[in-house]
Amino acid sequence: MAANGGQLVIFLVAVTSALLGEALEPYVVKVPKTKSPLPLVINTWNFTAATLKAWDILNNEIEPGAALDAIEAGCSVCEVLQCDGSVGYGGSPDENGETTLDAMIMDGTTHDVGAVACLRRVKSAISVARKVMEHTTHTMLVGDQATEFALMMGFKEENLTTESSAAMYKNWKEGSCQPNYWKNVIPDPATSCGPYEPVKSVWKEDMRWSVAGEGKNFDTNNHDTIGMIAIDSRGEIAGGTSTNGATYKIPGRVGDSPIPGSGAYVDRAVGGAAATGDGDIMMRFMPALITVEGMRSGLPPEEAAEVALAKITTYYPNYMGAVVAVRMDGEFGAACHGFDSFPYAVATSYLGTVKLMNVACTK
């Protein structure tokens, strides 16, 4: 989808945002040539409350805010609201019934990154990630050590389990732990909860993960990530992600969200992209980075995202994933694979408020 000067045609699917309660109809927006598309914020899924918070910071009439602040505040909204149960506390329990968090923030001006993975007992993952970026020379901290760092930075230690996530875990255990993410182990992970041990008599050829089996544990109900890109009125860009990962994951699992170039990537000379989907697969292909490099080569955002996702289908045709992308001039777009369609939210000066977009996916 283009956001150039002149006449901009935006096809909006009539959907209702659960957070804004607003029915959206197809319409045409005429953009004055003198109207700048910036500032701008774009994020994955229909997490429009997060978009609105980021937009309010960028579009403050008294003192327009910075892209980094918009990213932190926007992702924090999803952490508090527990967007789709897959961002923030109280969702996606692992095999031990614990919710852990992954998050990343990236400054496109300095190329600095802060990230946390498997963060335990601290709710504000995106804010802890920013502290990693601003108060260390590291890029990522993980697990209990990330928690210790967060406590030193003044964050509060809390239980991330809720009645809802505890009930999810109980039902999963009573249902023979299905689905799970084990392979080539005994007892049979398709019918048993383990504990498991490796099968020692399997031929190497049989140990390979079946291409046809990829994607079987992922759908729109058990994984989401908020991935957000913001460009402020000064032309500075930032990106960020936050998630509680895959439901019933093996403890210690880290997906694509906190990995720079995979979950999100921004470059002050080009633009930025953020990804969501089957993170175990997508992180092997760095789709956010590939999308940004596609835009650097001259591709529009939507086409650059399509190219990045098409590369993955060569190996894993049944995966599910999506990418949102924006160039520094304000042109934006998205692409997806494996879903029927993919919603994403955008706010720019000429749209006037948050709008929910929808893109058809390839299969």
Side-chain angles (χ1 to χ4, degrees):
M1 296 192 181
N4 290 324
Q7 186 177 28
L8 172 68
V9 181
I10 303 177
F11 296 97
L12 299 176
V13 173
V15 294
T16 300
S17 167
L19 293 173
L20 291 185
E22 177 186 6
L24 305 174
E25 301 293 340
Y27 73 111
V28 175
V29 177
K30 292 184 177 180
V31 183
K33 291 183 178 180
T34 58
K35 188 74 170 180
S36 170
L38 304 179
L40 181 149
V41 58
I42 183 171
N43 59 264
T44 56
W45 303 108
N46 60 342
F47 302 151
T48 48
T51 323
L52 182 60
K53 180 62 176 179
W55 175 244
D56 285 346
I57 289 174
L58 294 177
N59 198 45
N60 187 297
E61 293 183 359
I62 299 174
E63 185 177 357
L68 275 172
D69 295 333
I71 292 296
E72 181 181 4
C75 290
S76 292
V77 165
C78 254
E79 292 174 348
V80 172
L81 295 179
Q82 303 166 281
C83 288
D84 274 7
S86 56
V87 181
Y89 70 102
S92 300
D94 64 18
E95 285 194 340
N96 291 334
E98 182 182 7
T99 296
T100 59
L101 307 178
D102 300 337
M104 180 194 73
I105 192 166
M106 183 171 185
D107 185 340
T109 300
T110 63
H111 232 62
D112 289 341
V113 177
V116 290
C118 286
L119 178 67
R120 307 177 70 191
R121 304 182 303 280
V122 176
K123 289 183 177 180
S124 304
I126 188 70
S127 295
V128 178
R130 185 168 183 179
K131 294 295 186 184
V132 173
M133 181 180 71
E134 293 181 339
H135 297 290
T136 82
T137 57
H138 300 314
T139 293
M140 181 183 293
L141 298 178
V142 303
D144 281 332
Q145 287 79 12
T147 302
E148 292 175 9
F149 169 81
L151 298 181
M152 283 192 290
M153 293 293 103
F155 293 90
K156 182 171 61 173
E157 189 167 4
E158 302 178 78
N159 185 356
L160 304 189
T161 298
T162 61
E163 291 184 5
S164 175
S165 63
M168 289 174 61
Y169 177 66
K170 181 176 182 291
N171 292 337
W172 179 73
K173 291 288 284 188
E174 292 175 349
S176 300
C177 301
Q178 302 302 309
N180 61 58
Y181 299 90
W182 292 90
K183 63 178 182 178
N184 302 318
V185 294
I186 53 175
D188 184 357
T191 59
S192 171
C193 290
Y196 306 107
E197 61 181 66
V199 175
K200 297 182 174 61
S201 60
V202 178
W203 290 95
K204 183 177 180 180
E205 289 78 9
D206 295 328
M207 289 287 283
R208 293 178 181 172
W209 182 261
S210 170
V211 170
E214 292 291 357
K216 68 184 179 69
N217 292 335
F218 278 84
D219 57 42
T220 56
N221 298 317
N222 67 1
H223 75 288
D224 281 344
T225 298
I226 182 166
M228 178 180 284
I229 307 296
I231 306 176
D232 61 32
S233 58
R234 295 178 292 275
E236 296 181 348
I237 187 170
T241 64
S242 185
T243 184
N244 53 35
T247 309
Y248 315 127
K249 61 192 174 186
I250 297 170
R253 180 262 189 186
V254 175
D256 62 322
S257 297
I259 309 299
S262 187
Y265 192 79
V266 289
D267 187 312
R268 64 188 182 189
V270 182
T276 182
D278 189 339
D280 290 295
I281 292 174
M282 296 182 72
M283 68 193 300
R284 304 168 193 174
F285 297 88
M286 307 300 283
L289 172 62
I290 296 300
T291 299
V292 171
E293 291 307 308
M295 292 190 293
R296 191 191 305 276
S297 71
L299 292 177
E302 182 173 335
E303 290 184 26
E306 289 173 349
V307 168
L309 293 177
K311 181 179 177 64
I312 306 174
T313 61
T314 304
Y315 293 88
Y316 304 105
N318 297 315
Y319 84 99
M320 293 181 176
V323 173
V324 297
V326 61
R327 289 196 323 205
M328 292 303 297
D329 63 3
E331 182 176 352
F332 63 84
C336 52
H337 177 87
F339 311 114
D340 291 329
S341 62
F342 171 68
Y344 66 102
V346 180
T348 72
S349 56
Y350 55 77
L351 291 177
T353 185
V354 177
K355 295 297 180 182
L356 192 61
M357 310 294 185
N358 207 71
V359 61
C361 302
T362 58
K363 290 286 189 178

